[in-house]
Amino acid sequence: MSSNLTDELRKAALAFHRQGKPGKLEIQATKPLGTQRDLALAYSPGVAAVCTEIAENPETAWELTARQNLVGVISNGTAVLGLGNIGALASKPVMEGKAVLFKKFAGIDVFDIEVNETNPDKLVDVVAALEPTFGGINLEDIKAPECFEIEEKLKARANIPIFHDDQHGTAIIVAAAIVNALELANKKLDKVKIVTSGAGAAAIACLNLLVSMGAKRENIWATDLEGVIYEGREKLMNPWNSAYAQKTTARKLADVIPGADVFLGVSAGNVLTPDMLKGMAKDPLILALANPNPEIMPDLARATRPDAMICTGRSDFPNQVNNVLCFPFIFRGALDVRASQINEEMKQAAVKAIAGLAREASSDVVARAVGVDSTVGFGPASLIPNPFDPRLILRIAPAVARAAMESGVARAPIEDFDAYQDRLTRFVYRSGFVMKPVFAAARESLKRVIYAEGEDERTLRAAQVVIEEGLAKPILIGRPSVIETRLKRFGLSISQGKHFDVVNPEDDPRYRDYVALYLERAGRRGVTPDLARTIVRTDSTVIAALSVLRGDADAMICGLEGRYPNHLTTIDDVIGKTKGVSDFSAYSLLITSRGALFIGDTYVTLDPTPEQIAEKALLGADVVRRFGLEPKIALLSHANFGSRGSESSRRMRAALDILHAKHPELEVDGEMNADLALSEEFRNRVLPNSRLKGEANLLLMPDLDAAKISSQLVAAMDNSLPVGPILVGAAKPAQIVTSTTTARGLVNVTAIAAMQANEAL
């Protein structure tokens, strides 16, 4: 794996983990600790009552401690990703990463524990002794065959779920892909021939699960480094792979692949040749999961066998087998019923849920969220869901919870599944990867994005990421010699001509054309020919705007230097407004601990009229939808639904009347306080029949002061990630950032500008 990292990506990854607090995790209190009484309740003397309660009734620990939502991610570092036996300490970044995925995808807290112990029995003793801490344990990156023994012994001793994700996570997703592929091929699991390349932890777990679902052992042919696993073989044999030993004279993969319906590769790159593939059965399924080099490349497999269905472990091909498809949601369901184990019934329920989701039609909202075409339905290119499909938790967690209840391992059965589903739905909207659909839309077609401040370090660093991520083709306005010097100073690997283009304001062959066009656009605003020549030489925002207007660039970004209103004036003078829009609007997106929150208008209109507020609500609703979310709009004020008749509250009320009359389909209400906008419970106390349901995600303010102050306060207090401001209303894609925008922020705005350019086609 490490050999495939570019030098720049390696440096970026190291810098990412070093910046701020080292690593990727921290501990946060979930109870208020602001007063002496709070501390007395949280610790001494009040905590003694909690300890006594648990000592008398151990089951209350689930209600009184974090155990209900806490998983231990544990490894000894003997089989870390593609890096091998690198040891417990070196595995810690991966285990922290696993913890981040648990939290991001399912809201589960994690302690990562790296144990410096390779003796299986001693490792079992260590992990078993930790049981009182956790609601479940995820074993990770432990080499085969010891991992089988360790898991089996732990499951026998523990009364909480023990789950080795390298085995069972892969097995569940593979099984779902096989279920769907066999349905498309009109084949039966108990009849198909399955051949593996690899017989380690993942392969054996896959085969075991398939057998439990109906596959026949006599139809399974396993191979590894020593060839076919056959009766009597002695080398590299253990109790787990010997279960699949066949009585045969075949000794190589090529000997057993003819007639196979399913090839399961969990081994190494390029072991499945085109000649082998030619001998497989009609409509074969190829699971080439070695990473980064699959057992056979999909394009070669498809050229050899056009009827083949293909899955890989890579994100750049359809049907990615990625464990994040299941492990967070399996634990979510198991924890929510306090399951004592994750059994076969629960794993099979997860398989059915994943396979079933792949068959569901994708709504426009879901398609935007995962960056896919909503018109592409279930078929060979979509055997399994996208790992970022927000519906995964909504399907898998309840299915696993029900299976735990029905199989008798749930200690706290869910009584109201509708309420449970609603709780999971609210989590989805809080935790979604907000920028995912924007990045996907930007990648649809590589657009030329021109940066006014092309010499700025932030622009250069952002350009490196933009190029590596395939978001756009940068054009930098600046002096080539200065850009080249700074690229070397910052250790960046991109270069002019190869990766990006440069507009040199001191010597560009289009200068006369730019001056003439600027005069045409701004000549009646007091701009003389001499002034136009000077401006086009010295004002990079004007150059960027003219480039977009002429079609030399598809979108522009400016604002790292200078004042926002000045940049906006230039865009208005040169590019102009979209037809039918009375004014520009800017929306600040804040990715908070509660989810995505859009605030507008934060940069343009000082005191908007009711008509302008209504227009900003409509424009903002479109912005929210582009992020894969349904807009929930609150018109904010110091008053609640007519409680005070101030001028600003009347404006918000009038704007609501306009929206209700012209756009009754919008989920919008006001005027209201901010706390009511973010809490349905509070809102129902004041106005039980409000059109707005749940938490608002788009807040419209009565004036610019309120909008800008609010967005800055939220960003500072919540430690949220700001994106934008996002400018809408320009006739061509244009974005204005601020002087405090970081390189990371510039990448996000680039994706937004590129998305706008793609939508303008």
Side-chain angles (χ1 to χ4, degrees), residues 100-155:
V100 170
L101 295 179
F102 265 107
K103 187 67 174 180
K104 186 68 178 178
F105 283 95
I108 294 172
D109 297 311
V110 164
F111 291 157
D112 66 289
I113 298 178
E114 295 72 36
V115 183
N116 222 0
E117 182 56 72
T118 57
N119 181 286
D121 288 329
K122 290 183 179 180
L123 182 60
V124 168
D125 287 340
V126 170
V127 177
L130 296 171
E131 180 179 345
T133 302
F134 300 110
I137 288 174
N138 183 99
L139 300 174
E140 193 76 16
D141 290 352
I142 300 173
K143 73 182 181 73
E146 290 91 333
C147 61
F148 300 115
E149 177 186 352
I150 290 165
E151 185 186 39
E152 286 181 4
K153 289 183 176 180
L154 280 171
K155 289 173 72 173

Side-chain angles (χ1 to χ4, degrees), residues 312-366:
T312 72
R314 291 172 47 147
S315 61
D316 53 344
F317 292 104
N319 295 321
Q320 183 195 14
V321 175
N322 186 332
N323 286 16
V324 81
L325 269 165
C326 70
F327 73 81
F329 317 120
I330 288 172
F331 270 97
R332 181 73 280 157
L335 290 173
D336 290 340
V337 294
R338 298 182 196 167
S340 59
Q341 60 179 278
I342 294 174
N343 56 26
E344 287 301 304
E345 292 87 347
M346 295 161 74
K347 287 188 281 185
Q348 290 186 25
V351 171
K352 292 175 183 176
I354 294 169
L357 179 56
R359 299 189 198 112
E360 288 186 31
S362 180
S363 69
D364 290 342
V365 172
V366 170

Side-chain angles (χ1 to χ4, degrees), residues 181-343:
L182 296 186
E183 177 175 312
L184 290 172
N186 195 27
K187 298 178 181 180
K188 300 296 182 183
L189 183 59
D190 61 348
K191 303 294 184 184
V192 297
K193 179 179 180 180
I194 301 171
V195 175
T196 79
S197 173
I204 296 301
C206 289
L207 297 179
N208 289 345
L209 181 57
L210 291 170
V211 168
S212 76
M213 293 172 60
K216 302 298 183 184
R217 287 182 185 268
E218 58 264 29
N219 296 335
I220 295 173
W221 300 77
T223 69
D224 61 10
L225 287 171
E226 291 296 313
V228 175
I229 294 176
Y230 61 89
E231 289 184 6
R233 199 183 95 171
E234 296 181 357
K235 197 168 184 180
L236 293 182
M237 296 300 291
N238 57 63
W240 296 277
N241 65 14
S242 62
Y244 294 98
Q246 293 274 22
K247 188 173 183 178
T248 179
T249 58
R251 291 296 181 265
K252 298 183 297 183
L253 175 61
D255 297 333
V256 296
I257 197 71
D261 299 280
V262 176
F263 170 80
L264 172 59
V266 277
S267 55
N270 305 314
V271 299
L272 181 65
T273 67
D275 285 341
M276 293 181 194
L277 185 54
K278 289 175 183 176
M280 292 185 69
K282 183 177 181 291
D283 299 324
L285 172 63
I286 311 301
L287 292 142
L289 307 184
N291 222 342
N293 298 314
E295 284 78 2
I296 187 169
M297 288 300 293
D299 49 354
L300 178 57
R302 192 166 290 107
T304 306
R305 288 293 299 267
D307 61 332
M309 292 171 276
I310 306 165
C311 299
T312 72
R314 291 172 47 147
S315 61
D316 53 344
F317 292 104
N319 295 321
Q320 183 195 14
V321 175
N322 186 332
N323 286 16
V324 81
L325 269 165
C326 70
F327 73 81
F329 317 120
I330 288 172
F331 270 97
R332 181 73 280 157
L335 290 173
D336 290 340
V337 294
R338 298 182 196 167
S340 59
Q341 60 179 278
I342 294 174
N343 56 26

